[in-house]
Amino acid sequence: MRIRNGTSADTESIAALHTASWRSAYTALMPAAYLAGPLAAEHLAKWRARTDGLSPGRCLLLAEQDGELRGFIHLDTAPDGRVHVDNLHARPDHVGTGIGRTLLHHGFAWAARHHPGQDVYLEVLAGNTRAIAFYERAGGLRTAERPLRMTAGFTVREIEYTWPAATVRGYEGGRWASNTPPPAAG
């Protein structure tokens, strides 16, 4: 698997994978009309805006295999200084193959290099049990839960997971770099 930086040339494939991931993972969590309707156009517009000149405070990494996009991670900096994993997705037919873990670890390495001393966090929909189990296995600590009002007019619950800066700084080149195992969730 090859990990590389995303560019504006990747916009359509990122948006398509993002949409496929939501349609697979959120089928019981979001209205079917939304998932089948405006979602694809929303994601394409979002990724066009995001890939049009990535700023130094943001990171977009793609996982490719055999010339095909298998997953991506997008990180940015929150107003409070923490690093936000805004998106982490694997192609639905490649979930469970290690792509998400590899991308998350590469994201941690980027955060440790570019935002040393900052925690990393993300939000996951409360009903997305597979993703919740993944983040907990990856050492994420549940730090908040709140309602999320979607622009399409419905509300879902989201859970925030955080990786403390001390955990994040152990990642180099996308894998744990210390002589000791990575910290476990506690």
Side-chain angles (χ1 to χ4, degrees), residues 160-185:
E160 178 183 285
Y161 281 91
T162 300
W163 287 263
T167 300
V168 172
R169 85 169 152 253
Y171 286 87
E172 293 176 8
R175 62 184 168 277
W176 184 251
S178 173
N179 291 332
T180 59

Side-chain angles (χ1 to χ4, degrees), residues 19-140:
T19 300
S21 177
W22 275 37
R23 286 177 174 163
S24 173
Y26 299 159
T27 187
L29 305 175
M30 294 183 177
Y34 173 67
L35 292 173
L39 181 64
E42 286 178 14
H43 282 168
L44 184 57
K46 177 187 293 190
W47 289 107
R48 279 187 178 142
R50 285 183 175 172
T51 58
D52 186 25
L54 283 169
S55 69
R58 294 176 37 217
C59 175
L60 176 60
L61 299 173
L62 310 183
E64 293 179 324
Q65 194 165 14
D66 301 324
E68 188 174 83
L69 180 63
R70 301 289 172 95
F72 70 92
I73 187 170
H74 177 255
L75 302 97
D76 57 20
T77 308
D80 64 5
R82 295 183 300 162
V83 176
H84 179 223
V85 177
D86 176 63
N87 279 275
L88 173 59
H89 295 277
R91 263 185 32 189
D93 59 337
H94 285 78
V95 169
T97 64
I99 291 169
R101 181 182 61 249
T102 298
L103 285 167
L104 185 62
H105 292 177
H106 277 271
F108 288 165
W110 176 85
R113 268 192 319 278
H114 296 280
H115 301 281
Q118 295 299 321
D119 293 347
V120 174
Y121 78 101
L122 57 75
E123 299 94 1
V124 59
L125 295 188
N128 191 349
T129 55
R130 186 172 189 152
I132 289 168
F134 169 76
Y135 296 130
E136 289 179 355
R137 280 192 313 273

